[in-house]
Amino acid sequence: MIKRYVARTDGHAFVLFTSYDAMNRAADELAPWLTTKNLGLYVQGQGLPRTQMLEQFKANPRAALLGTDSFWQGVDVPGDALQNVIITRLPFSVPDQPLLEARLEAIRARGGNPFRDYQLPEAILKLRQGFGRLIRTQRDHGMVVILDPRIKSKPYGRLFLESLPECRHNIETVRNVPTGQALFD
């Protein structure tokens, strides 16, 4: 699916991941295909500092830039260089860090629901931040693709969709791929 949407915009794409492992596996899979299309590949954590990687992407937007956490926010690529943001998974934090575990346990101890009261609102905010990478000025345009089928298959998916700016959206299904891929432009 990443190949499909990167091809639609001839690169000019950020692909946002929630884990380094998934990002690196995708990079390994995408690299040969991108080479055949004469498209560049920038992967967070594989040599270039983030600032330098962004500058190279801006200079050569016929590329896909793959990033994790720090690319979901605070990255500014206005204009035509960035026309496509692909979000591979809804950005739920994994409760494997002691601080987050303690926070979730405190919510539970107060009678709250850690998922509803903390993890879901946090993930919605992060999705909005990732979505916001595309539109930085009034002249910016493009598409945001959410590949995670939970956006349509889970009841909480509606909350993610309702949190996004008003835009046209399409749902695309491809044979042998889970349903619910959302395309926003």
Side-chain angles (χ1 to χ4, degrees), residues 12 38-42 55-64 81:
H12 301 263
N38 199 29
L39 295 171
L41 175 63
Y42 303 102
E55 291 307 316
Q56 287 188 17
F57 177 81
K58 289 176 186 177
N60 176 26
R62 287 196 70 244

Side-chain angles (χ1 to χ4, degrees), residues 87 90 127 144-148 151 161 164 180-184:
I87 296 171
L90 295 176
L127 179 75
V144 174
V145 179
I146 301 173
L147 297 178
D148 192 327
I151 196 85
L161 293 173
L164 298 175
Q181 285 23 320
L183 172 67
F184 301 88

Side-chain angles (χ1 to χ4, degrees), residues 116-177:
R116 182 194 66 231
D117 299 340
Y118 184 81
Q119 290 174 290
L120 184 59
E122 179 191 54
I124 288 171
L125 176 61
K126 192 166 184 179
L127 179 75
R128 287 177 52 90
Q129 291 169 332
F131 195 96
R133 295 314 90 217
L134 182 65
I135 306 300
R136 307 309 298 157
T137 71
Q138 289 184 348
R139 293 184 311 269
D140 290 342
H141 64 279
M143 67 181 180
V144 174
V145 179
I146 301 173
L147 297 178
D148 192 327
R150 295 176 295 176
I151 196 85
K152 293 300 288 179
S153 67
K154 295 290 185 184
Y156 58 74
R158 172 184 53 80
L159 298 173
F160 282 97
L161 293 173
E162 289 172 355
S163 78
L164 298 175
E166 208 171 302
C167 58
R168 185 170 47 113
H169 69 275
N170 302 310
I171 305 298
E172 296 186 4
T173 304
V174 177
R175 195 175 355 173
N176 298 326
V177 175

